[in-house]
Amino acid sequence: CSAVQKLCTRYKSSISQSALRHALSIASRQGHANLVAVLIERGADPDAADSEGWTPLRAAAWAGHATTVRVLFERGAQVDASDTEGRTALRAAAWAGHEEVVRLLLNAGAQVDGEDKQGRTPLIAAAYMGHADIVTALLDAGARPDHVDCEGRTALSVAVLSVACRSTDDNSKKCRPVFSRRRSKQEEPIYENKQNGTLDGDDNEAVETVTILLEYGASVNHQDKEGMTPLL
């Protein structure tokens, strides 16, 4: 951090915004909170996105760096800034399973039902990954349990599919893709070829996620665009 301070001071007039943006993106993703503070103080834009549309806040949230998230908030980062697919920091933290960051973002006023270009919300992302505690936090914050994405699926729909994929005992079977967009920085893998066999700890959490959604009134009879209900 001190070396960066010296470089910024010595070469202040020749450091481009592009260089500052790149450095801030890396520092945020790696969780170097003090360095993030220095770079912003030296002129880096806290909301400047990288080539894939990731803002520093979204990068820090996805990686679970709560202290860095706080520093970015203190220096004016916009809580609901999104990438080119419409995915926000809250969506990233919910997907990755970082409960502390999710609660920080919610307390900062993040839109609990913010949709990406496929109509998917943080709740759908968390339910898909089986993050039961985050599902509860989002529902407590007012997330709609029956919000429908572009495929007509709700959080309960994808949570049930997640359990089915993990517990199938037929190695020849594959689950239909739910999040089938290309991977971006290791986020959102295609929803197939999950581990076969009996339920393990992660799979029990997936079952817990289904239970929580039912307790919060998620519709058991909702049909997606293919006519599939959670029970079916």
Side-chain angles (χ1 to χ4, degrees):
C1 187
S2 60
V4 171
Q5 285 179 311
K6 291 177 181 178
L7 287 169
C8 287
T9 300
R10 183 172 181 178
Y11 300 104
K12 180 178 180 180
S13 61
S14 60
I15 298 177
S16 67
Q17 278 297 314
S18 176
L20 286 171
R21 180 177 67 249
H22 185 59
L24 181 59
S25 177
I26 294 172
S28 299
R29 189 174 300 279
Q30 296 298 322
H32 301 308
N34 291 337
L35 184 54
V36 165
V38 168
L39 290 167
I40 294 175
E41 288 167 3
R42 297 294 179 171
D45 181 351
D47 291 321
D50 65 14
S51 60
E52 295 187 26
W54 285 55
T55 64
L57 180 62
R58 188 168 187 274
W62 181 77
H65 300 307
T67 301
T68 304
V69 167
R70 290 189 185 94
V71 168
L72 286 163
F73 279 149
E74 290 168 358
R75 284 154 180 80
Q78 299 299 305
V79 68
D80 286 320
S82 63
D83 68 5
T84 54
E85 294 297 318
R87 296 177 297 204
T88 63
L90 181 59
R91 162 65 183 279
W95 171 274
H98 302 304
E99 184 181 356
E100 181 181 2
V101 175
V102 166
R103 294 187 183 279
L104 280 173
L105 293 165
L106 290 172
N107 290 337
Q111 293 183 27
V112 69
D113 281 326
E115 302 176 33
D116 66 12
K117 288 186 177 180
Q118 285 75 48
R120 291 168 185 142
T121 61
L123 179 63
I124 288 177
Y128 169 71
M129 295 301 292
H131 299 313
D133 290 342
I134 292 175
V135 166
T136 299
L138 292 168
L139 289 167
D140 285 342
R144 291 176 291 161
D146 289 328
H147 172 86
V148 177
D149 70 8
C150 66
E151 301 294 335
R153 297 188 177 107
T154 63
L156 181 60
S157 301
V158 301
V160 169
L161 282 171
S162 178
V163 175
C165 280
R166 298 179 189 199
S167 60
T168 180
D169 59 2
D170 184 346
N171 291 332
S172 67
K173 291 181 180 179
K174 293 182 179 179
C175 293
R176 294 173 300 140
V178 175
F179 284 32
S180 58
R181 298 297 181 268
R182 68 178 179 86
R183 297 192 187 192
S184 176
K185 293 186 175 66
Q186 301 180 14
E187 187 179 11
E188 301 192 358
I190 294 176
Y191 196 34
E192 59 185 348
N193 286 328
K194 293 216 174 183
Q195 184 69 36
N196 295 327
T198 59
L199 295 177
D200 60 18
D202 290 339
D203 303 319
N204 287 332
E205 189 173 24
V207 175
E208 183 182 355
T209 298
V210 172
T211 303
I212 292 166
L213 288 163
L214 291 172
E215 290 174 349
Y216 278 78
S219 174
V220 297
N221 295 314
H222 171 80
Q223 294 185 11
D224 65 18
K225 289 187 176 180
E226 296 182 5
M228 300 286 289
T229 65
L231 179 59
L232 183 56

